[in-house]
Amino acid sequence: MNIYFKKVISENYKEVIALSVEESQRNFIESNEISLEESKTGAHWRPVVIYNDDDIIGFAMYGYFDCEKRVWLDRLMIDKNHQGKGYGKIALKLLINRIIAEYKCDEIYLSILKDNVNAQRLYEEFNFRFNGELDISGELIMVAKT
C-alpha cells in the first residue's frame, strides 16, 4: 500500500469527478465535481486526489478560513470500489499530518451529519470530538487538537 496525494490537474480531473461513494453514503458528502467547483470560489481550499500507487482511490479537500481562524477538513471520500481496504484510515492520518505541516495549527475542524456513524467512528479514532456547534448547514462540528 502506497497512499499519497496529488493536486487535481487536467490529466486527473475526469477520473476524480468519476469517483463515487456507495448509494447509501451519497447524502453524506457532496460529489467531487461540486467540491471542485466550490474550490474555485476561494483560494483557501486545497483539493487533493488520493492515490494508492498509480490508482486514484479518493478525494479530499481542506483549507483555512481566515474569518473563523479555523482549519477545516471539509471533504474526505474513498471511492466505492476501494472502500473496506483500510485506505480511508491511512489517508486520514496522512491528511491530518499534511494539514498540521501546512498550517501549523492547533486544531482541525470538520462537520458531519449525525447519521454518518461510520465516518464518525473513523474520526473519533483520530481524536475528533463533537464540540457542541453546528455549521451553517446544520451539520455537527467535530474538532481534533493537534
Side-chain angles (χ1 to χ4, degrees), residues 20 29 32 45-46 65 105 119 123 126 128-129 137:
S20 65
I29 191 166
N32 294 341
W45 287 124
R46 303 285 184 268
F65 283 78
C105 56
Y123 294 134
F126 288 86
F128 281 89
R129 299 293 179 256
S137 301

Side-chain angles (χ1 to χ4, degrees), residues 92-105:
L92 180 57
K93 180 178 180 165
L94 293 171
L95 194 56
I96 289 168
N97 291 339
R98 180 185 182 113
I99 291 169
I100 292 169
E102 187 170 334
Y103 295 104
K104 312 288 188 259
C105 56

Side-chain angles (χ1 to χ4, degrees), residues 10-140:
S10 59
E11 289 80 11
N12 61 22
Y13 181 85
K14 286 184 180 178
E15 286 181 90
V16 172
I17 63 171
L19 298 173
S20 65
V21 294
E22 294 289 345
E23 185 68 36
S24 62
Q25 300 167 325
R26 290 210 176 129
N27 291 333
F28 297 142
I29 191 166
E30 291 82 353
S31 72
N32 294 341
E33 187 169 24
I34 289 172
S35 295
L36 289 170
E37 285 301 312
E38 187 177 326
S39 75
K40 294 175 185 176
T41 66
H44 52 272
W45 287 124
R46 303 285 184 268
V48 293
V49 186
I50 305 169
Y51 281 81
N52 179 39
D53 294 321
D54 294 329
D55 297 325
I56 293 176
I57 62 166
F59 172 80
M61 190 165 78
Y62 61 92
Y64 176 74
F65 283 78
D66 194 44
C67 62
E68 299 176 351
K69 307 289 187 229
R70 289 181 173 181
V71 176
W72 285 85
L73 169 54
D74 198 61
R75 309 276 158 61
L76 173 62
M77 66 83 68
I78 301 296
D79 182 76
K80 63 185 175 189
N81 297 315
H82 299 285
Q83 291 182 7
K85 300 176 183 177
Y87 296 147
K89 195 175 286 192
I90 294 168
L92 180 57
K93 180 178 180 165
L94 293 171
L95 194 56
I96 289 168
N97 291 339
R98 180 185 182 113
I99 291 169
I100 292 169
E102 187 170 334
Y103 295 104
K104 312 288 188 259
C105 56
D106 297 329
E107 298 175 319
I108 301 172
Y109 291 81
L110 60 82
S111 63
I112 188 170
L113 290 168
K114 66 179 179 179
D115 297 337
N116 195 350
V117 293
N118 289 334
Q120 178 184 334
R121 278 194 292 263
L122 174 64
Y123 294 134
E124 286 174 341
E125 284 185 45
F126 288 86
N127 297 314
F128 281 89
R129 299 293 179 256
F130 292 107
N131 68 356
E133 296 178 28
L134 300 176
D135 72 2
I136 59 172
S137 301
E139 294 184 13
L140 303 167

